[in-house]
Amino acid sequence: VAAIVGAMAFTQASAMLPTPEPALDNAIALQSSNTQALVSNVSALLVSTAANGQEILSPVTADTRLQSGNILEYHGYFTNTNAKRVRKMTVTMTIPEQVELLGGIMPDFPYASVDGNNFARMPLRSRVNNQLQAVALSYYKAVRWDIEGVGLNDTVMVKYRAKVK
């Protein structure tokens, strides 16, 4: 949902959360032995700088007005409420169409996709004029992590930063 105000476009904050994958809710794809026992939560934070140079992360709400150039940090939290440890969990966070990936990706060594279906270890590379080159982050559509050993009531966090187009 977007509204044009003069020459500047503002986007409603709710449209800025990662989009859900088919048949899954809350913008997250979980693959483990028991996904019902995992609680997930996604949040978007607006990144700004205080007068003293200190970085400020402010929660994005339905009332937040975003504009081109704003930096957002997305956090995905996953809590294991299962009676057992989750040995391996794959978490995929899509990158909303209204933003482009900047980096700030944690944990390290994720996989990424330019089409949302095929994933490879980051940084993605492509052959151009018979030379291997890095794919610009602006082409990435999703980031995926393999997380191992999530104990009972443990919460893991994944995150990335993106810029509003």
Side-chain angles (χ1 to χ4, degrees):
V1 178
I4 304 296
V5 180
M8 192 173 289
F10 290 91
T11 305
Q12 188 174 345
S14 61
M16 303 306 288
L17 284 176
T19 55
E21 296 210 355
L24 296 168
D25 61 357
N26 208 11
I28 304 302
L30 295 174
Q31 298 165 355
S32 75
S33 58
N34 188 354
T35 58
Q36 291 78 19
L38 293 169
V39 176
S40 64
N41 181 31
V42 176
S43 63
L45 304 162
L46 181 63
V47 180
S48 58
T49 307
N52 65 1
Q54 190 80 4
E55 190 172 86
I56 301 170
L57 297 177
S58 307
V60 173
T61 67
D63 297 327
T64 304
R65 289 287 205 199
L66 299 171
Q67 59 187 3
S68 181
N70 284 146
I71 306 299
L72 300 175
E73 184 167 292
Y74 293 101
H75 293 187
Y77 297 94
F78 305 90
T79 303
N80 177 16
T81 58
N82 191 0
K84 299 178 185 175
R85 171 186 238 16
V86 174
R87 293 185 189 274
K88 183 177 178 185
M89 165 174 70
T90 298
V91 177
T92 301
M93 287 184 60
T94 58
I95 299 167
E97 288 235 354
Q98 302 89 341
V99 300
E100 62 183 46
L101 184 65
L102 287 178
I105 301 168
M106 297 274 303
D108 292 332
F109 311 114
Y111 295 85
S113 174
V114 294
D115 64 5
N117 296 314
N118 301 301
F119 286 83
R121 187 70 78 184
M122 286 183 66
L124 297 179
R125 300 197 184 282
S126 177
R127 196 164 291 282
V128 178
N129 295 330
N130 215 17
Q131 292 199 357
L132 206 55
Q133 297 180 357
V135 174
L137 293 177
S138 59
Y139 291 105
Y140 288 37
K141 301 288 184 224
V143 181
R144 177 176 284 171
W145 296 266
D146 287 333
I147 299 171
E148 298 188 19
V150 183
L152 178 60
N153 294 321
D154 280 354
T155 299
V156 295
M157 181 184 79
V158 298
K159 69 178 182 176
Y160 68 84
R161 284 195 174 184
K163 179 172 69 170
V164 178
K165 294 180 183 175

